[in-house]
Amino acid sequence: MRPKIRLFVDQPLGAEQSVQLSRDHAHYLFGVMRQSVGVEVALFNGIDGEWRAVVDEAGKRGGSLRCVAQSKTQDVVPDLWLLFAPIKKARTDFIVEKAAEMGVRRILPVQTEFTNAERIRQDRLQAHAVEAAEQCGNTVVAEVAPLRRLDEVLRDWDPSRQIVFCDEAEAGGSSALTGGLATCGAVLIGPEGGFSDGERARLKALDHVTTISLGPRILRADTAAVAALTLWQHGVGDWR
Ligand code: SAH
């Protein structure tokens, strides 16, 4: 039977490997979930796949587990990043959670000209990404990068990674996302206020940027992010 509880741990996993629990995990496992010695838990660390582990010691502030067998090999996910302009808290949380569920490798919050948020809580967003992976069975955890200005991100960009620029000005136009996608890519979603003319011009002038429409309707940024990631994964063939 598959263990009901699945935890991300930042420690090596392998046969007979023992894993020390953090205070938070011990509290969750033994306090909240009322588990005790002998129970099996699924562990993953983003590198070594998923392991079944048995609780050896259970305490209020800590505990230890021992890996028994690998239950899943490490997922191979497409090399997709998401660049998005942070919006209101709940919607930003939604974007991070959905992108993490969808197997995005890196989530890069970017500050554009019309972005309202000046700061993000990177640690909180990273925790959301971990939780999303724990809940949906992914062995990969999306990395949440610190907030950076879009112009700086573009300046330092590796041109071998294609950017799919979702431009609301193309809504209703014919620039659908068709084949010819690089297998290493990124999707760019703007804020509620959209992109400025300057940003649009700069992006369109770059060879490694492909401008697309997400259809005839203007979507909210959180919906747009999910739609664009789906299109990219479909285009690259993540669905077998
Ligand atoms: N306030 C803007 C809309 C911003 S929507 C306006 O009224 O024009 C937020 C982001 O979602 C956009 O910057 C874009 O990246 C994406 N988006 C939403 N609908 C889109 C569409 N039909 N085509 C392409 N991108 C879209």
Side-chain angles (χ1 to χ4, degrees), residues 83 85 87 114 165-173 175 188-195 200 212-225 228:
L83 277 73
I87 41 179
F114 301 150
F165 164 39
C166 300
D167 182 4
E168 66 277 0
E170 299 283 333
S175 44
L188 170 61
I189 300 291
E192 279 157 12
F195 290 96
R200 189 167 283 122
I212 67 153
S213 151
L214 293 173
R217 289 160 293 268
I218 302 279
L219 308 172
R220 299 185 81 142
D222 45 352
T223 318

Side-chain angles (χ1 to χ4, degrees), residues 31-51:
V32 181
M33 302 302 286
R34 307 251 156 235
Q35 304 296 309
S36 51
V37 170
V39 150
E40 279 200 357
V41 176
L43 301 179
F44 67 107
N45 62 3
I47 301 165
D48 300 314
E50 181 191 274
W51 285 76

Side-chain angles (χ1 to χ4, degrees), residues 101-139:
E101 277 179 37
M102 292 181 74
V104 165
R105 287 217 196 152
R106 249 184 127 214
I107 300 172
L108 295 92
V110 290
Q111 199 165 11
T112 62
E113 280 181 47
F114 301 150
T115 302
N116 307 324
E118 307 256 298
R119 287 181 297 125
I120 54 154
R121 284 280 310 276
Q122 190 189 352
D123 56 343
R124 211 173 51 83
L125 293 180
Q126 184 65 66
H128 276 301
V130 167
E131 207 177 303
E134 283 175 344
Q135 285 183 12
C136 65
N138 288 358
T139 53

Side-chain angles (χ1 to χ4, degrees), residues 191-207:
E192 279 157 12
F195 290 96
S196 72
D197 288 341
E199 286 169 336
R200 189 167 283 122
R202 172 154 191 214
L203 282 158
K204 289 190 165 193
L206 297 169
D207 283 343

